[in-house]
Amino acid sequence: MNIRKINENGVSIAYVTSDEQLITDVQSAIDLMATVRYEADCHHIIVNKSAVSEVFFDLKTRLAGEVLQKFINYQTKIAIIGDFSGYTSKSLRDFIYESNNGNDIFFVTEEELAIEKLSKNSDPS
């Protein structure tokens, strides 16, 4: 796992890349948050969609809700970068839409959008 620290509008953001999936279950998400806080002292994280298990995007598994609740509980914001257009589930599309209109969890297509979303209306950390 590689962590690149980005500072934007007084906000520290960790862009985490890996050849392996980083979010496969609730514990792996907690481990990711802990590692980023320890190594980069960031409460804002960017990951690529490839670092997230496909099970996450099947809302019937409830993994997305459980994982994202942990991010909220631990006051950590996350942006997932990727192409989400291939998903046909109306529930997932609604979930992504609602998340993108919130303040904590974002599904975006490029790094610049992730940085913009995470650094806007945010307490620096």
Side-chain angles (χ1 to χ4, degrees), residues 25-57:
D25 56 20
V26 173
Q27 188 58 53
S28 64
I30 292 170
D31 292 345
L32 172 63
M33 285 185 276
T35 299
V36 167
R37 287 212 182 155
Y38 178 76
E39 292 185 15
D41 193 29
C42 292
H43 298 270
H44 300 74
I45 301 172
I46 298 172
V47 297
N48 291 311
K49 182 178 168 282
S50 60
V52 181
S53 170
E54 274 301 311
V55 173
F56 178 93
F57 298 100

Side-chain angles (χ1 to χ4, degrees), residues 12 19 37 44 63 68 79 83 86 90 94 123:
S12 295
D19 292 333
R37 287 212 182 155
H44 300 74
L63 180 60
L68 297 179
D83 179 6
K90 181 178 179 345
D94 291 346
D123 294 326

